[in-house]
Amino acid sequence: MKKVVFATVLVFFFSYIHAQIKDPVSWKYEAVKKSGDTYELVITATVEKPWHIYSQNTGAGGPVPTNFSFKKSPLVDLTGKTQEVGKLQKTYDNNFKTNVLYYSGQVVFKQLVKVKGNVKTNVSGVVEYMVCDDQQCLPPTKKSFEIKL
């Protein structure tokens, strides 16, 4: 009987911990045609208050910066670096002992791509990011995405 009670308590405990896992960031992915063979990938991160997400340009020694890894494709070439559009904030973080760059609310990431030939294709990849609030940080998260061109 004790084993059954212990197992039941253990199941509820792990269910509670699993329920506590948060992801305060929602992602939206789209492609905007700029010219015949050029598209702009528009990746929007909406971050719940009071959380914030870190810039791609947050320096070493700090939190994990947002990073996009695009899967190589023989049909698509990336043009330039992924740009950030949003209200960039900079502050010294005592926890990391360094200056950090982050966004609250919403940030848009834009990447130009060129398609080789007149074909329908997709761009896929993974975004890795980390979010913190004034009291805690969540572990870095990786999410796969696919954008139709």
Side-chain angles (χ1 to χ4, degrees):
M1 182 67 173
K2 288 182 182 179
K3 288 182 182 180
V4 172
V5 171
F6 179 73
T8 304
V9 169
L10 198 59
V11 167
F12 282 117
F13 176 74
F14 283 112
S15 297
Y16 176 76
I17 289 175
H18 181 69
Q20 296 300 312
I21 296 173
K22 301 177 188 177
D23 186 5
V25 182
S26 61
W27 294 90
K28 179 182 170 191
Y29 309 93
E30 63 182 319
V32 177
K33 191 169 191 171
K34 297 305 241 181
S35 68
D37 63 349
T38 304
Y39 291 82
E40 182 175 62
L41 306 180
V42 181
I43 304 170
T44 305
T46 303
V47 185
E48 296 174 10
K49 288 184 179 183
W51 300 94
H52 52 266
I53 189 170
Y54 292 97
S55 167
Q56 300 172 100
N57 304 309
T58 292
V64 173
T66 301
N67 181 53
F68 292 90
S69 300
F70 295 97
K71 186 177 179 183
K72 293 187 188 233
S73 168
L75 300 175
V76 178
D77 284 329
L78 299 178
T79 304
K81 294 183 179 183
T82 305
Q83 303 298 310
E84 301 175 351
V85 179
K87 185 179 176 187
L88 182 64
Q89 298 174 55
K90 180 180 180 178
T91 189
Y92 182 81
D93 190 306
N94 284 322
N95 295 317
F96 295 109
K97 305 287 186 230
T98 189
N99 288 319
V100 296
L101 302 171
Y102 66 91
Y103 295 93
S104 298
Q106 191 173 76
V107 58
V108 177
F109 299 94
K110 296 182 176 185
Q111 174 67 57
L112 286 176
V113 297
K114 284 195 175 193
V115 178
K116 297 176 186 175
N118 190 16
V119 296
K120 299 263 185 207
T121 189
N122 297 332
V123 173
S124 60
V126 174
V127 58
E128 180 179 21
Y129 60 96
M130 184 174 173
V131 292
C132 296
D133 65 13
D134 292 339
Q135 298 176 353
Q136 64 183 325
C137 291
L138 299 180
T141 301
K142 290 183 180 182
K143 289 202 174 171
S144 297
F145 62 85
E146 187 168 21
I147 306 169
K148 285 187 174 189
L149 300 182

